Amino acid sequence: MKYREFSNLGWKVSEIGLGCWQIGWCWGDVSDFDARKILQKALDKGINFFDTSDTYGDGRSEKFLSEIIKSSSEKIYVTTKLGRRIRGTKYSKGYKHEPMEEFIDRSLLNLGVDQIDLVQMHCPPIEVCRNKETYEKMEELIKKGKIANYGISVYNLAEAYEAIKLSNIKSVQLVFNIFRQKPSETFFAEAKKKNIAIIARGPLASGLLGGEISENTKFPENDHRNYNIHGKSFDVGDTFSGVNLKKGLCAVEELKKIIPKNFSLSEIALKWILMHKEVTVVIPGAINHSQVEKNANVSELSEIFYLMPKIKSIYEKFIKSDVHEKW
Ligand SMILES: NC(=O)c1ccc[n+]([C@@H]2O[C@H](COP(=O)([O-])OP(=O)(O)OC[C@H]3O[C@@H](n4cnc5c(N)ncnc54)[C@H](OP(=O)(O)O)[C@@H]3O)[C@@H](O)[C@H]2O)c1
């Protein structure tokens, strides 16, 4: 496993981290047994960066993480998120001081720690990103010692640009993958100037870039790839990265034609992200420990400079017109 510097914090984080949404909910049934095996495999493979949220399983994911925080002999970095426990029309209220502090208090309990390494605001609406007060509240939580640092997770680049203008954030989390290439155009350079870490989520476009999904795949009722395909529950950009499934599958077929024999599509998809040096950590999610192992091994694979132009042209032919300006 290779490690990268995280902002100016002196942290060396594994370039492949672990997304822990799957051990909360929304991905079919991942049992307690499998959740623990996923985390153990991640530790065994040298992963030391774990992304979760207070909403994933309403705390279930955080509680599993508390077990490895307690048992791990090495330092591990756990980042959780806040703001989304208030739903519907009151959504932006989740970023006012009172609920924020209450949310943090529950996360501290769930994670079993006195201070959280990094808390990300969980996709706040753009008005919240523009509001100086939002960040003043985060600073207050730092002063109280409840959190050590804060960052932001965003749906759209516009929100990320607002947040890096006004705040002292240490990280931006966004969707970045072969089907979502826009952040690399100008945003990464802006973030780098300010030494802001980039956390790349949805690296496999919800599994579409794993290469095993077909038009006939049936997703369980409690899998967002079943119920959020039109964005009914949350931003559709987090389900298959907002790509139309049929078009995405056509692009996947084209990608399969260009990958060398010794690589699988999931490996190429993760390596493609790691080729961008501004990215600090990629956080693929997994529903079993074998996926964790395969994804972690990508750190050691050779670079794929020669494939970059071909991948770009497949993106431009099949995907760009539908997603590039939306997010
Ligand atoms: N708003 C936010 O802040 C936000 C939103 C979304 C996600 N996230 C974070 O980002 C993390 C990752 O994003 P994501 O979970 O949305 O999507 P992702 O990492 O692109 O896709 C994960 C899914 O891909 C499949 N997969 C994993 N490894 C594979 C492999 N080697 N080969 C084939 N398929 C594989 C698995 O599902 P199947 O095997 O069932 O296909 C897995 O559940 C999440 O866990 C979460 O921590 C944050």
Side-chain angles (χ1 to χ4, degrees):
M1 177 62 71
K2 297 190 186 78
Y3 295 81
R4 298 188 181 190
E5 289 283 341
F6 194 99
S7 183
N8 61 353
L9 300 181
W11 300 358
K12 286 204 183 313
V13 302
S14 50
E15 59 182 15
I16 304 279
L18 182 72
C20 297
W21 186 12
Q22 282 73 2
I23 60 167
W25 60 13
C26 298
W27 293 84
D29 295 323
V30 176
S31 68
D32 292 2
F33 180 75
D34 284 338
R36 292 188 172 105
K37 273 181 90 173
I38 285 169
L39 292 176
Q40 189 53 52
K41 180 60 76 181
L43 294 174
D44 293 347
K45 297 298 297 181
I47 289 176
N48 70 357
F49 188 86
F50 298 83
D51 175 82
T52 187
S53 163
D54 58 3
T55 54
Y56 297 167
D58 197 23
R60 179 175 184 244
S61 174
E62 289 182 330
K63 286 178 190 161
F64 284 126
L65 284 163
S66 75
E67 297 175 9
I68 61 163
I69 293 173
K70 211 167 158 189
S71 65
S72 178
S73 52
E74 302 284 325
K75 169 68 188 162
I76 59 170
Y77 300 98
V78 173
T79 174
T80 191
K81 310 191 192 85
L82 61 66
R84 299 296 298 270
R85 284 175 55 204
I86 295 183
R87 295 253 163 197
T89 52
K90 291 185 176 161
Y91 176 25
S92 60
K93 292 216 168 101
Y95 303 90
K96 303 231 183 275
H97 191 67
E98 272 190 14
M100 279 197 333
E101 186 153 5
E102 204 186 301
F103 295 163
I104 287 296
D105 288 341
R106 195 185 78 164
S107 289
L108 286 166
L109 275 179
N110 284 344
L111 292 168
V113 294
D114 297 328
Q115 187 182 58
I116 299 168
D117 297 325
L118 174 78
V119 170
Q120 300 166 80
M121 291 176 278
H122 200 166
C123 297
I126 195 152
E127 1 16 302
V128 173
C129 300
R130 282 195 190 116
N131 185 354
K132 259 172 96 178
E133 241 181 65
T134 310
Y135 311 106
E136 287 163 12
K137 305 298 182 201
M138 296 306 279
E139 294 291 340
E140 268 181 59
L141 290 170
I142 290 183
K143 275 197 197 119
K144 287 190 173 182
K146 296 190 176 189
I147 69 176
N149 303 284
Y150 66 95
I152 192 165
S153 181
V154 296
Y155 284 138
N156 293 292
L157 277 179
E159 293 145 2
Y161 276 111
E162 293 296 337
I164 67 170
K165 241 192 266 169
L166 281 180
S167 64
N168 183 27
I169 57 169
K170 300 295 180 194
S171 62
V172 169
Q173 179 181 141
L174 36 68
V175 178
F176 182 57
N177 60 41
I178 289 178
F179 289 166
R180 187 74 77 81
Q181 302 200 10
K182 195 173 180 183
S184 61
E185 281 181 351
T186 54
F187 181 73
F188 284 175
E190 286 303 305
K192 197 172 173 61
K193 273 188 221 159
K194 300 187 170 205
N195 203 2
I196 293 170
I198 299 287
I199 303 172
R201 77 161 180 269
L204 297 174
S206 312
L208 185 51
L209 287 165
E212 288 162 21
I213 291 173
S214 75
E215 264 193 84
N216 301 322
T217 304
K218 296 259 177 288
F219 297 103
E221 269 181 29
N222 58 350
D223 187 319
H224 70 102
R225 295 169 296 181
N226 174 323
Y227 63 79
N228 197 49
I229 195 87
H230 301 296
K232 215 170 90 187
S233 293
F234 51 83
D235 191 292
V236 73
D238 276 309
T239 299
F240 298 131
S241 297
V243 169
N244 169 281
L245 187 54
K246 262 192 181 171
K247 280 195 195 173
L249 288 169
C250 290
V252 162
E253 286 314 306
E254 292 302 304
L255 288 165
K256 283 181 178 171
K257 288 182 197 160
I258 64 162
I259 59 177
K261 278 201 184 86
N262 50 336
F263 278 97
S264 69
L265 183 54
S266 66
E267 289 166 341
I268 291 293
L270 296 177
K271 199 74 202 180
W272 181 88
I273 298 171
L274 293 176
M275 294 295 290
H276 297 82
K277 298 302 171 206
E278 302 90 343
V279 170
T280 312
V281 52
V282 186
I283 50 163
I287 57 156
N288 58 52
H289 67 100
S290 314
Q291 289 178 344
V292 179
E293 178 158 30
K294 193 165 183 205
N295 297 341
N297 288 343
V298 172
S299 178
E300 297 306 328
L301 298 179
S302 46
E303 300 200 306
I304 53 164
F305 292 104
Y306 63 103
L307 280 179
M308 300 304 272
K310 291 184 189 164
I311 291 175
K312 189 161 190 249
S313 68
I314 292 172
Y315 170 72
E316 283 171 352
K317 184 168 171 202
F318 290 91
I319 307 291
K320 188 174 180 180
S321 61
D322 288 346
V323 307
H324 207 72
E325 297 312 322
K326 257 193 190 161
W327 287 280

